[in-house]
Amino acid sequence: MLDVSVVIPVYKGRPFIEETVLSVLSQRDVAFDLSISLQGPEDGTRELLAEIAKTDSRLKIFNAPTGAAKENWQYVSQQATGKYIKLIPQDDVLLPGTLKRQFDLLEENPQAVLTASLRQVIDDKNTILKKSWGLMGITKPMSGTAVMRHVIGLGMNVLGEPGGVMMRRDAFEQGGGWDFSNPYVVDLASYLHVLAQGDFVPDNQIGVKFRVSSGQWTAELQDVQSQHVISMNKAMHRDYPTIVTNAVLWRGNVMSQVMQLARLMVYKVKGMK
């Protein structure tokens, strides 16, 4: 069995996919493969990846089934055969040494099912927007149930985007894979299902550059995200009532609305719509 399977679901990924793929293939000292599933119209991504694959057999290219992000994420994750799985968005950048470091963290903590790193936030021009972000309050090994309560109670995803996260594949699959019940929090909801099965160990280094675009910061989108957070919280309370208690649910719902209001104030100050 491979140590790690890295998967990348792609939809019209030409602008950044080469940088993303090379950031994975340049990882060292850990056995891994990289599966990419392509969805949507041809934009030159396939030809570019085919050229890279000629020089590196670890890269495998698949055609995703017709559908949306849900079908692509699920399909490409099903190609994973490694002990651990990491999904990377098509425009993020994995920093050197991240795969080996996270593999070692999980191997050294056999009860752990998930690790998450700090991340650097960049824009479309690679300008650094935040040098380091994430893991507020979870910088030490913790039980998965404690992390679930902490994260839901904060009303925000301090574990971060998938590129900074590595999970035990068996726990990921037993948790049901990617939970698209509330699409804007698919990553966090899926992590919580995994954490219900074991412990958490933090990766306190910056592991990935997470790229954002202007469309991800609109007030309208943040309003929808807040609604999805509340819906996710209710689902977690239903599925894990002894972990996500009434008190945790109440705090999480209140904090998600507080965070939304805080972001709206930022948008008004900056003149965003």
Side-chain angles (χ1 to χ4, degrees):
M1 179 185 293
L2 287 171
D3 294 335
V4 183
S5 285
V6 180
V7 300
I8 305 178
V10 174
Y11 178 85
K12 296 175 66 175
R14 186 62 181 86
F16 303 107
I17 192 61
E18 182 175 11
E19 182 179 10
T20 301
V21 167
L22 294 180
S23 77
V24 176
L25 294 178
S26 63
Q27 299 290 310
R28 296 289 182 264
D29 302 320
V30 61
F32 70 92
D33 65 358
L34 171 59
S35 296
I36 297 179
S37 60
L38 301 176
Q39 192 179 58
E42 296 290 343
D43 68 340
T45 299
R46 185 183 304 275
E47 292 77 7
L48 173 62
L49 294 177
E51 288 301 312
I52 297 175
K54 290 178 181 179
T55 63
D56 199 319
S57 61
R58 294 173 298 179
L59 173 58
K60 300 175 177 62
I61 305 168
F62 299 90
N63 293 319
T66 302
K70 176 181 178 179
E71 287 73 24
N72 203 353
W73 283 43
Q74 291 176 338
Y75 174 79
V76 74
S77 298
Q78 290 167 0
Q79 312 311 313
T81 61
K83 183 176 182 180
Y84 303 103
I85 183 171
K86 175 187 283 290
L87 182 145
I88 300 180
Q90 66 187 32
D91 52 1
D92 289 357
V93 180
L94 199 60
L95 294 181
T98 298
L99 279 192
K100 177 64 163 59
R101 185 177 64 252
Q102 294 192 330
F103 171 77
D104 287 345
L105 282 169
L106 289 168
E107 288 288 285
E108 293 164 3
N109 296 270
Q111 300 305 312
V113 292
L114 186 147
T115 184
S117 73
L118 297 169
R119 68 267 199 197
Q120 189 175 91
V121 183
I122 61 174
D123 65 12
D124 290 348
K125 297 180 180 179
N126 286 324
T127 301
I128 297 174
L129 305 178
K130 283 185 177 293
K131 292 183 178 180
S132 180
W133 180 250
L135 299 185
M136 286 84 84
I138 51 171
T139 56
K140 297 180 180 180
M142 299 171 64
S143 69
T145 55
V147 174
M148 291 173 71
R149 287 190 288 266
H150 177 76
V151 171
I152 290 175
L154 284 178
M156 59 188 299
N157 182 7
V158 298
L159 291 168
E161 299 72 30
V165 171
M166 184 182 289
M167 300 175 281
R168 285 187 63 101
R169 184 168 59 87
D170 56 359
F172 169 70
E173 293 173 351
Q174 290 167 19
W178 298 109
D179 181 357
F180 270 84
S181 302
N182 298 283
Y184 284 107
V185 288
V186 55
D187 47 3
L188 180 57
S190 305
Y191 306 157
L192 296 179
H193 288 302
V194 173
L195 287 167
Q197 304 174 60
D199 295 344
F200 169 80
V201 57
D203 174 7
N204 289 308
Q205 297 188 44
I206 299 173
V208 67
K209 294 182 180 181
F210 171 65
R211 196 183 307 273
V212 299
S213 63
S214 58
Q216 291 173 276
W217 296 96
T218 64
E220 291 83 357
L221 178 56
Q222 294 298 325
D223 182 55
V224 173
Q225 288 177 327
S226 177
Q227 295 172 25
H228 282 217
V229 169
I230 292 173
S231 179
M232 179 198 72
N233 291 346
K234 292 178 180 177
M236 292 298 160
H237 174 62
R238 181 193 66 235
D239 292 345
Y240 312 105
T242 61
I243 301 173
V244 184
T245 62
N246 286 324
V248 173
L249 174 65
W250 178 84
R251 176 175 171 80
N253 290 347
V254 169
M255 288 304 298
S256 69
Q257 294 172 323
V258 169
M259 294 305 299
Q260 179 194 359
L261 290 174
R263 288 188 292 262
L264 286 174
M265 291 301 296
V266 172
Y267 300 142
K268 289 181 179 180
V269 169
K270 293 187 176 182
M272 296 180 178
K273 295 182 178 181

